[in-house]
């Protein structure tokens, strides 16, 4: 018997929205459900006191993928925001990512050669050819002082474990530059959608039915009966009722305040890189859009241990969890009529542009098969 919809999209986040948009464009019928009260998943923004608040942490769109950049520009106009976070280490302020401004402030060096020499000196005793963990990788890259002041405390708060137990690849996300350039990303395209991410997602899923506050897994049999194909963007282990064990995540809590000042910290993102400050960073939302409102909204972000039932934010792609994920992936890959996608469905530390690229690739495949 023909089912009512071609696609049931579980999750109104970016992956689900892109998939649904493309499927609808191809003439397919879609229905979207999400267990949250809103669309957008983790990129959800909400206007408060005339300021777009990033409810699930700072989201800066950046990409090297021209196609993806063109793609998102169909749904929003992007402003010229360039992420240049500051690091506050016990009241000392440094520019991020690690660049000549950082090295100048740290050591007083002026030229790239002096900076390289200083790093060379600092890593002399500790250099390892093949860094096995984040600590070794960080010291190789930027030396001991930068590691101690800007990396160790922040990373250990962020991940809740010592740097020598963390994979080296986490720190390789950050550029190290010998130019005076505070752009956090190397990508040629960057910005924040004017009007917020929620409006962008709304536009993507225009004309598609959405039902919020609806948990697919609470009534899976029913939901499976409404569509020919399921696009599942929730946690893959939850789909299989944790039969091999629970995949680990890092979770976050956010403490948001409306303040009666027009400018609290002078920058959108300030990281607190010491070990003692309990939060990892403070976001001042209006600076993402060069806001001139009379008030401001700040959010302190705390990284917390995750347990089942908490919001899963960061997959922990260490060896143990990667092995566990591989078992689930084996099942997911042969599941007929189900696509597992996105940060939770694929258990990947995906940025927004990667999520879009993955969804575009997968929807094309599925449409070809149907
Ligand atoms: P999600 O946004 O998590 O969407 C999944 C949706 O599925 C959720 O809405 C959830 O409620 C729903 N769902 C789950 N299970 C069920 C169920 N059983 N039934 C119904 N619905 C369900 N990327 C960048 O490019 N730049 C950044 O600056 C950036 N900053 C980030 C900061 C933080 C703090 C975090 C956590 C992530 C950041 N990212 C950033 C990554 C970005 O958030 C993700 O790439 C993107 O949001 C992932 O989209 P998604 O659709 O895969 O997942
Ligand atoms: N990091 C750091 N100090 C900082 C900012 C980042 O040591 O001030 C490290 C930390 O280990 C973090 C990693 O760099 O997990 C990647 O940072 P990024 O900003 O890319 O993290 P995300 O955007 O995913 O929160």
């Amino acid at each position: 018997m023909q089912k009512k919809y071609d696609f049931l999209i579980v999750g109104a986040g970016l992956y689900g929205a892109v998939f649904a948009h493309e499927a609808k464009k191809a003439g397919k019928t879609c229905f979207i459900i999400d267990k949250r009260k809103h669309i957008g998943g983790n990129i959800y923004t909400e206007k408060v006191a005339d300021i777009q608040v990033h409810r699930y942490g700072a989201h800066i769109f950046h990409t090297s993928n021209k196609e993806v950049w063109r793609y998102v520009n169909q749904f929003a106009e992007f402003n010229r925001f360039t992420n240049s976070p500051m690091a506050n280490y016990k009241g000392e302020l440094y520019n991020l990512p690690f660049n000549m401004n950082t090295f100048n402030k740290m050591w007083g060096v002026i030229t790239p050669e002096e900076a390289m020499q200083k790093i060379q000196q600092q890593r002399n005793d500790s250099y390892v050819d093949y860094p096995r963990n984040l600590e070794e990788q960080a010291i190789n890259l930027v030396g001991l002082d930068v590691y101690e002041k800007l990396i160790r405390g922040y990373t250990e708060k962020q991940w809740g474990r010592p740097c020598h137990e963390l994979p080296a690849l986490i720190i390789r996300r950050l550029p190290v530059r010998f130019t005076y350039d505070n752009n956090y990303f190397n990508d040629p395209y960057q910005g924040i959608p004017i009007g917020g991410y929620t409006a962008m997602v709304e536009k993507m899923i225009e004309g598609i039915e959405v039902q919020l506050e609806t948990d697919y897994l609470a009534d899976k049999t029913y939901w499976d009966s409404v569509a020919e194909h399921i696009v599942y963007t929730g946690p893959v282990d939850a789909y299989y009722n944790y039969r091999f064990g629970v995949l680990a995540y890092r979770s976050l809590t956010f403490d948001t305040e409306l303040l009666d000042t027009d400018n609290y910290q002078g920058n959108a993102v300030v990281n607190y890189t010491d070990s003692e400050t309990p939060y990892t960073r403070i976001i001042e939302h209006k600076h993402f859009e060069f806001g001139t409102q009379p008030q401001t909204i700040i959010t302190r972000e705390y990284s917390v241990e995750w347990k089942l039932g908490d919001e899963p934010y960061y997959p922990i792609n260490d060896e143990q969890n990667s092995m566990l994920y591989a078992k689930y992936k084996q099942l997911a890959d042969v599941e007929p009529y189900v696509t597992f996608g996105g940060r939770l469905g694929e258990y990947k530390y995906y940025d927004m542009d990667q999520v879009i690229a993955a969804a575009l690739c997968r929807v094309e495949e599925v449409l070809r098969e149907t």
Side-chain angles (χ1 to χ4, degrees):
M1 203 181 71
Q2 179 96 32
K3 293 181 179 172
K4 192 169 174 203
Y5 296 96
D6 295 313
F7 293 99
L8 173 78
I9 318 275
V10 181
L14 194 54
Y15 190 99
V18 169
F19 197 109
H21 180 85
E22 292 304 305
K24 177 171 182 271
K25 205 167 79 184
K28 304 290 182 186
T29 52
C30 299
F31 192 82
I32 302 176
I33 58 172
D34 200 298
K35 61 181 183 186
R36 291 184 181 169
K37 289 190 174 122
H38 57 75
I39 60 164
N42 286 344
I43 67 173
Y44 173 67
T45 49
E46 182 184 19
K47 207 170 201 180
V48 180
D50 205 30
I51 298 166
Q52 291 290 347
V53 175
H54 297 210
R55 279 290 177 210
Y56 300 92
H59 277 80
I60 299 106
F61 196 91
H62 59 98
T63 188
S64 297
N65 185 327
K66 204 170 189 168
E67 289 311 308
V68 167
W69 182 241
R70 272 206 207 112
Y71 190 79
V72 286
N73 275 271
Q74 296 174 75
F75 306 105
E77 190 185 331
F78 281 73
N79 71 16
R80 63 160 186 87
F81 181 82
T82 300
N83 195 24
S84 313
M86 298 299 299
N88 183 326
Y89 177 77
K90 303 186 176 181
E92 293 171 27
L93 284 168
Y94 294 92
N95 289 106
L96 293 172
F98 313 119
N99 74 87
M100 283 306 297
N101 289 303
T102 327
F103 305 140
N104 172 266
K105 180 82 189 261
M106 187 73 66
W107 301 309
V109 293
I110 308 275
T111 65
E113 200 186 335
E114 286 169 351
M116 283 180 217
Q117 268 172 11
K118 193 78 196 173
I119 292 174
Q120 193 66 45
Q121 251 172 32
Q122 293 224 336
R123 66 185 178 197
N124 262 350
D125 297 336
S126 338
Y127 192 84
V128 285
D129 282 333
Y130 300 102
R132 286 157 302 179
N133 57 55
L134 196 149
E135 180 171 281
E136 291 180 354
Q137 176 72 72
I139 296 171
N140 264 8
L141 284 172
V142 284
L144 263 177
D145 289 346
V146 176
Y147 171 68
E148 278 300 331
K149 288 190 169 181
L150 304 182
I151 298 175
R152 193 173 57 80
Y154 185 91
T155 301
E156 295 189 354
K157 284 193 289 191
Q158 168 83 348
W159 296 101
R161 55 202 82 186
C163 287
H164 61 80
E165 284 179 18
L166 287 164
L169 65 93
I170 295 179
I171 199 74
R172 286 193 217 122
R173 281 170 63 88
L174 296 192
V176 177
R177 291 195 195 108
F178 292 92
T179 51
Y180 287 90
D181 177 0
N182 295 328
N183 187 344
Y184 201 60
F185 304 115
N186 283 326
D187 299 313
Y189 310 108
Q190 181 171 182
I192 303 281
I194 296 168
Y197 287 96
T198 306
M200 180 178 97
V201 173
E202 250 162 28
K203 216 160 162 197
M204 285 178 172
I205 60 175
E206 208 169 272
I208 300 173
E209 285 176 84
V210 182
Q211 187 173 308
L212 298 173
E213 297 183 79
T214 303
D215 185 346
Y216 165 74
L217 295 175
D219 202 356
K220 185 172 175 303
T221 313
Y222 166 73
W223 287 112
D224 285 344
S225 75
V226 307
E228 303 289 341
H229 191 109
I230 310 293
V231 178
Y232 176 80
T233 70
V236 60
D237 55 347
Y239 182 94
Y240 290 109
N241 208 11
Y242 311 102
R243 73 172 72 162
F244 302 127
V246 177
L247 287 167
Y249 287 91
R250 201 65 195 153
S251 197
L252 300 169
T253 59
F254 300 102
D255 170 17
T256 299
E257 257 185 278
L258 172 66
L259 301 176
D260 265 327
T261 169
D262 66 337
N263 189 2
Y264 173 76
Q265 61 182 17
N267 204 33
V269 182
V270 178
N271 291 357
Y272 285 77
T273 56
D274 64 298
S275 314
E276 292 78 26
T277 307
Y279 40 85
T280 49
R281 49 190 169 189
I282 299 184
I283 301 167
E284 187 169 10
H285 301 267
K286 69 192 301 178
H287 296 311
F288 288 119
E289 45 185 13
F290 314 103
T292 53
Q293 300 86 343
Q295 291 174 300
T296 196
I297 296 180
I298 61 162
T299 299
R300 292 183 184 82
E301 188 174 313
Y302 299 81
S303 179
V304 294
E305 203 58 50
W306 174 88
K307 57 182 185 331
L308 251 175
D310 295 343
E311 280 293 345
Y313 287 109
Y314 291 98
I316 310 254
N317 293 118
D318 61 9
E319 215 175 302
Q320 192 189 343
N321 285 289
S322 301
M323 268 158 54
L324 183 53
Y325 171 63
K327 286 188 175 178
Y328 285 114
K329 186 171 180 322
Q330 244 177 11
L331 292 185
D333 281 348
V334 294
E335 195 75 56
Y337 321 117
V338 187
T339 284
F340 292 82
R343 247 200 190 195
L344 305 172
E346 295 172 68
Y347 196 64
K348 278 209 181 102
Y349 194 170
Y350 267 150
D351 277 335
M352 289 182 274
D353 60 327
Q354 297 168 309
V355 166
I356 293 171
L360 287 174
C361 181
R362 179 64 185 146
V363 71
E364 198 185 306
E365 248 171 44
V366 175
L367 289 172
R368 228 183 295 125
E369 287 160 14
T370 52

